[in-house]
Amino acid sequence: MKRGILLSSSLLFSFTLLAGEAPIGLLPPASDFDIPRLQKQGTATQLFVDGRPFLALAGELGNNSATSLDYMKPVWPQLAASKLNTVLAGVSWGQIEPAEGQFDFTIVDGIIQQARSHDLHLVLLWFASWKNGLSSYPPPWVKKDFDRFPRAQIAEGAAPWPVLTISEVPRATVKSNLSIELLTPFSDANRDADARAFAALMRHVKQIDGRKHTVIMIQVENEVGMQGDTRDHSPVANRAFAGPVPAELMDYLKRHKDTLIPEFRRVWDAAGSKTSGTWEEVFGKGIATDEIFMAWQFARYVGRVAAAGKAEYPIPMYVNAALPRTSALGDTAVTGREPGVTGYFAVGGPMDDVLDVWRAGAPQIDILSPDAYNDFADWCAKYDRSGNPLFIPESRGGPEGAARMIYTFGRHNAIGYSPMGIERAAAPDPDLTAAYDLIAQLASLISEHQGNGTMSAVMLRSPSDPPQKVPVGKYTLEAAFITPRRIAGEPPPQGNRTPAAAIFIAAGPDEYYAAGSGLTVSFAPNTPGPPLAGLATVEEGVFVKGRWVPGRRLEGDDSDEGQFLMLGSKKTIQHFTLYRYR
Ligand code: DGJ
């Protein structure tokens, strides 16, 4: 009987395919093999879409842009024109489940169809229990029933939101425990309601997109964490804090003791590396323990929500972290920074230094992602460790964003880079578009070289940045900010002020590609043999469908008489070969 239905539906399916869009629900079930997934290559983790490595050249819409199809209609052509291939779009819990158990996917369907008709992929952002450390997206039936769906509480003496971030204002404190607009992560009712809705969404996405793969990844919640205090002080939270550290977490820490994130290990060791006891007995007294406690609880909750969604449609899922603005990256809360004093920070969120806690609590989450607006290179290094793939869901656009994108793919084997508020600019951003185009041209080469040490990248933010050296294959490349040079017949140089970045790929022992702008590059062998290196050939060109199409051959003025590879102000790709001599 079942086989008959499957056969007739697939026959019907092929007819409708011939006739264009397949109606919803008639598709034979998708096999888990060809849905979007993650796959290791050397030290890198790659996103596979339709069975091939995929680099997400992305941009995130404003929080609520994708809640209206009319608002989005004029936006899609602009996005397509900016040469990105993926759009991060929010899905509001309140919008898809206006009444308990009643789901309305009209907008989700529309957004997927619109993206598909512009040949764009989607990453859906599940705005549900938490968004930026608060709860503005749960449906009213959840918000209003605060007994059934309880809130987190800040303790007497803590500073209520939003006074928190205006540090020069004396912080008014609360007289007794105060509920805040944040669903507590210690409530199973909150968690299960969220998980049910998320499972319904993923079941629906699989039904309408399980074969098309417009949707390639999911972000579960947004910048979760605790605001206004270092931990939840609601009665259920206090009971948990006074109780033992769960065996599940202790078992994970014991099993991974030698590979734990050093900042985290330091805290545990400082308290005697105990393997059982209360939170304070195991991790010591202080806000670092509050952060670890909250990280465990948020991770458990988000992990269960993700599990419910993956049971329906197991495509890759990640969480994004709100990061402190201060650049002294060493001073995370785990090592003693006071939340709020240094600006916006969500305690217990997926910070790099509690990565182990999130891994233990939410194994269904594939990636912890930094919303890296400041101190970009530092945060990339902090999140590209312990096997965590790098995906940047939120960062800057413009020339800075363009440089960051090139750097992220080349230096950190990134899965994707996404400026925030991508549709806010009136017209496609020229720097970003040029960078999207550059990476798109190189995509198959980048995917081929990710994770095997034959690719790297540099980013210099201004002329005052010192040159950077990177080993790529058998040569070490030294990149310096390009200094204006008088070129015969050219107008006097204006002095390039925009951030400079380039990606370098060793395509062979002495053969390379370089792509980017604003740099001069010199070379030195890094293996035994003749100690000096020179440029043998240099040509600029483009990749068309993965095939190199050379343009001008560059020597003389365009390589400073052979001394440097020169990547000028316009983003270009150059193919060159090196030779050694003494
Ligand atoms: C970070 C959040 O993740 C985004 O959704 C947004 O609120 C930005 N901050 C600010 O626009």
Side-chain angles (χ1 to χ4, degrees):
M1 171 57 196
K2 183 151 179 2
R3 240 179 80 68
I5 293 170
L6 206 54
L7 251 163
S8 59
S9 61
S10 51
L11 271 175
L12 178 61
F13 162 56
S14 43
F15 285 128
T16 47
L17 252 190
L18 293 171
E21 195 59 52
I24 287 192
L26 271 184
L27 299 171
S31 73
D32 286 357
F33 178 73
D34 57 9
I35 65 171
R37 58 189 159 84
L38 297 176
Q39 185 168 315
K40 279 264 175 218
Q41 174 175 286
T43 58
T45 300
Q46 299 181 315
L47 172 62
F48 270 59
V49 175
D50 299 326
R52 286 191 302 278
F54 181 86
L55 300 180
L57 309 178
E60 177 163 334
L61 296 171
N63 285 175
N64 305 303
S65 304
T67 60
S68 159
L69 301 180
D70 291 340
Y71 173 91
M72 283 305 296
K73 266 209 192 81
V75 171
W76 293 108
Q78 181 197 326
L79 296 174
S82 65
K83 301 208 172 178
L84 50 70
N85 62 19
T86 302
V87 175
L88 278 62
V91 175
S92 155
W93 181 12
Q95 188 175 48
I96 67 156
E97 192 180 11
E100 185 163 7
Q102 287 168 24
F103 293 97
D104 176 355
F105 294 113
T106 317
I107 300 291
V108 171
D109 292 354
I111 291 294
I112 292 177
Q113 298 294 8
Q114 288 182 337
R116 210 180 267 168
S117 64
H118 288 84
D119 206 15
L120 292 170
H121 286 282
L122 286 170
V123 172
L124 297 181
L125 317 176
W126 177 231
F127 292 161
S129 293
W130 301 305
K131 164 96 186 35
N132 298 22
L134 288 168
S135 300
S136 57
Y137 280 86
W141 57 270
V142 169
K143 288 181 175 178
K144 293 178 184 163
D145 192 349
F146 51 83
D147 289 329
R148 183 176 165 206
F149 301 110
R151 298 287 181 282
Q153 292 190 336
I154 59 177
E156 187 175 342
W161 172 267
V163 172
L164 193 63
T165 56
I166 310 171
S167 46
E168 67 277 6
V169 174
R171 297 187 308 133
T173 59
V174 293
K175 298 286 170 284
S176 63
N177 271 21
L178 174 73
S179 291
I180 57 173
E181 190 69 58
L182 176 72
L183 293 184
T184 176
F186 294 87
S187 154
D188 295 356
N190 293 350
R191 181 198 62 207
D192 297 348
D194 187 327
R196 272 194 301 276
F198 187 57
L201 172 68
M202 294 312 294
R203 190 177 318 122
H204 184 75
V205 171
K206 180 174 182 176
Q207 196 184 10
I208 65 161
D209 192 53
R211 280 191 164 279
K212 289 261 175 193
H213 313 147
T214 303
V215 178
I216 56 175
M217 226 170 21
I218 304 285
Q219 177 187 294
V220 186
E221 315 290 347
N222 190 90
E223 292 193 348
V224 309
M226 175 80 189
Q227 282 299 340
D229 204 340
T230 56
R231 72 170 177 81
D232 182 352
H233 286 268
S234 62
V236 58
N238 289 342
R239 280 195 298 280
F241 191 68
V245 176
E248 227 176 320
L249 176 55
M250 291 322 302
D251 292 349
Y252 179 95
L253 298 181
K254 283 186 278 183
R255 276 201 317 278
H256 296 84
K257 193 163 187 178
D258 301 332
T259 57
L260 294 175
I261 296 283
E263 297 95 309
F264 177 85
R265 176 77 192 267
R266 262 202 304 277
V267 171
W268 188 25
D269 289 352
S273 313
K274 295 189 195 65
T275 56
S276 66
T278 66
W279 292 89
E280 290 191 326
E281 284 164 357
V282 173
F283 298 110
K285 280 190 182 314
I287 56 174
T289 300
D290 292 5
E291 179 174 2
I292 296 167
F293 170 67
M294 293 307 291
W296 171 255
Q297 201 57 35
F298 279 117
R300 295 289 298 134
Y301 186 119
V302 170
R304 294 285 284 272
V305 170
K310 280 199 170 178
E312 301 294 339
Y313 189 36
I315 59 176
M317 296 187 183
Y318 71 93
V319 286
N320 63 326
L323 304 173
R325 291 186 195 287
T326 57
S327 62
L329 290 184
D331 66 346
T332 61
V334 165
T335 51
R337 185 197 56 241
E338 189 185 345
V341 173
T342 54
Y344 176 58
F345 176 59
V347 182
M351 287 293 296
D352 62 294
D353 46 37
V354 284
L355 184 146
D356 298 298
V357 179
W358 270 80
R359 277 238 179 95
Q364 305 78 1
I365 292 292
D366 303 291
I367 307 172
L368 272 66
S369 286
D371 289 344
Y373 289 91
N374 305 299
D375 308 305
F376 187 74
D378 297 324
W379 285 117
C380 285
K382 285 197 148 246
Y383 274 82
D384 178 12
R385 59 178 171 163
S386 180
N388 183 51
L390 191 67
F391 176 67
I392 309 283
E394 294 184 30
S395 189
R396 299 194 185 288
E400 176 86 23
R404 290 177 174 193
M405 183 190 315
I406 293 169
Y407 177 77
T408 310
F409 283 112
R411 186 69 162 262
H412 291 285
N413 301 316
I415 283 176
Y417 177 87
S418 161
M420 177 66 199
I422 193 72
E423 90 279 18
R424 289 189 190 132
D429 170 318
D431 291 281
L432 272 184
T433 302
Y436 285 136
D437 178 54
L438 205 70
I439 301 292
Q441 285 187 54
L442 289 164
S444 53
L445 204 57
I446 290 174
S447 299
E448 185 193 329
H449 287 269
Q450 280 190 323
N452 62 18
T454 54
M455 178 172 69
S456 190
V458 295
M459 179 173 67
L460 283 79
R461 302 189 57 223
S462 75
S464 58
D465 276 8
Q468 281 181 24
K469 281 190 179 172
V470 281
V472 186
K474 296 190 333 171
Y475 293 85
T476 296
L477 286 56
E478 178 163 351
F481 209 88
I482 199 160
T483 45
R485 248 171 56 91
R486 183 109 198 71
I487 298 208
E490 286 206 2
Q494 296 312 311
N496 176 10
R497 286 277 164 274
T498 55
I503 190 168
F504 305 111
I505 298 172
D510 300 302
E511 182 193 2
Y512 287 80
Y513 290 93
S517 61
L519 295 166
T520 55
V521 188
S522 57
F523 310 89
N526 58 25
T527 56
L532 303 170
L535 285 165
T537 62
V538 186
E539 60 189 12
E540 65 184 5
V542 292
F543 276 94
V544 179
K545 295 199 169 62
R547 196 174 54 77
W548 176 245
V549 180
R552 293 182 306 153
R553 186 182 168 92
L554 302 177
E555 286 152 324
D557 286 349
D558 296 307
S559 66
D560 207 357
E561 311 315 327
Q563 295 176 87
F564 300 106
L565 191 83
M566 299 176 67
L567 297 167
S569 52
K570 189 166 165 293
K571 291 181 179 46
T572 57
I573 306 177
Q574 296 188 13
H575 175 226
F576 59 98
T577 57
L578 297 172
Y579 71 98
R580 301 173 59 156
Y581 62 100
R582 65 167 58 82

